[in-house]
Amino acid sequence: VNFTELLAQEYRGKLDLEADHYIEYSVEGAQRMEALMKALLAYWETTAGDHVETPTDCNAALKHALDNLEVAVRESHATITYDRLPTVPAEEAVLVQLFQNLVGNAIKYRSTEPLRIHVSAQNGGPAWLFEVRDNGIGIDPQHAERIFGILKRLHGKEIPGTGIGLALCRKIVERRGGRIWVESEFGAGATFKFTVPLQAPPRARGPS
């Protein structure tokens, strides 16, 4: 609990309506800043230091990610399906973060239609090709690259977020020798695709 939340607990409803509004604005601002700082820390931890790649079951990583998103999945009434996923050379923690960000992104940008998300993978020769497909609001193709930039968002406060999530996904994938992109049209859902090489890349030695 931060100081603005303590202020709200102590004085909300005891002053006039205008004061309550100011308190709410302060609390919301502090919460957004806290979320941003946590996201930036996660981004830095992903881009710094050595990474030891071990064989990781993507099914277990996805299940962990969905467990973390349980409340969001339930509240959005999302139907999430997935194929049998492979074992790849990557740390489980970063795969959990990757799946969690991509599925969470699909939940966040859902349309008025019942939300459906499907996760799949296929062996593409030197790398596994993963897809996270949804039937959400979609993305205009002209913004397909921009959304992976740090602090780049296409929507304002009406859809909450830090602007770090997809940038973090890109760092996770690229530091493991893969690439990530989106195929979408506005109003027609989106399919996020990323590759994970069958062979682990050389160990990272610092921020890139």
Side-chain angles (χ1 to χ4, degrees), residues 118-206:
H118 184 71
V119 183
S120 62
Q122 58 181 316
N123 191 328
W128 282 94
L129 172 62
F130 290 79
E131 295 187 1
V132 179
R133 184 177 70 249
D134 67 65
N135 65 334
I137 62 176
I139 302 165
D140 189 318
Q142 67 176 321
H143 300 307
E145 178 65 22
R146 176 189 168 196
I147 61 173
F148 291 101
I150 191 168
L151 300 179
K152 300 296 184 182
R153 304 187 65 233
L154 301 184
H155 301 270
K157 291 173 60 178
E158 70 273 12
I159 300 181
T162 61
I164 303 293
L166 291 179
L168 178 58
C169 289
R170 168 164 280 181
K171 277 296 181 184
I172 289 173
V173 171
E174 291 184 348
R175 281 181 65 81
R176 281 143 194 87
R179 67 187 189 96
I180 185 170
W181 69 99
V182 63
E183 295 178 0
S184 178
E185 291 184 13
F186 188 73
T191 300
F192 282 85
K193 299 184 177 185
F194 64 91
T195 60
V196 178
L198 299 180
Q199 297 295 323
R203 293 182 67 183
R205 297 187 177 277

Side-chain angles (χ1 to χ4, degrees), residues 38-186:
K38 288 180 178 178
L40 285 170
L41 178 60
Y43 183 86
W44 171 253
E45 289 175 344
T46 298
T47 61
D50 290 343
H51 297 279
V52 179
E53 313 291 349
T54 57
T56 297
D57 181 3
C58 291
N59 300 283
L62 176 60
K63 183 180 184 303
H64 191 167
L66 295 180
D67 287 343
N68 292 343
L69 293 167
E70 180 181 1
V71 173
V73 171
R74 185 170 62 248
E75 291 180 347
S76 65
H77 304 290
T79 298
I80 301 177
T81 57
Y82 46 91
D83 298 340
R84 181 70 184 174
L85 302 178
T87 294
V88 299
E91 311 99 304
E92 182 175 3
V94 297
L95 285 180
V96 170
Q97 186 73 61
L98 180 58
F99 284 126
Q100 185 171 324
N101 283 7
L102 292 177
V103 173
N105 193 73
I107 292 174
K108 188 183 301 180
Y109 294 99
R110 61 188 181 274
S111 68
T112 56
E113 297 295 318
L115 178 58
R116 299 189 306 276
I117 302 170
H118 184 71
V119 183
S120 62
Q122 58 181 316
N123 191 328
W128 282 94
L129 172 62
F130 290 79
E131 295 187 1
V132 179
R133 184 177 70 249
D134 67 65
N135 65 334
I137 62 176
I139 302 165
D140 189 318
Q142 67 176 321
H143 300 307
E145 178 65 22
R146 176 189 168 196
I147 61 173
F148 291 101
I150 191 168
L151 300 179
K152 300 296 184 182
R153 304 187 65 233
L154 301 184
H155 301 270
K157 291 173 60 178
E158 70 273 12
I159 300 181
T162 61
I164 303 293
L166 291 179
L168 178 58
C169 289
R170 168 164 280 181
K171 277 296 181 184
I172 289 173
V173 171
E174 291 184 348
R175 281 181 65 81
R176 281 143 194 87
R179 67 187 189 96
I180 185 170
W181 69 99
V182 63
E183 295 178 0
S184 178
E185 291 184 13
F186 188 73

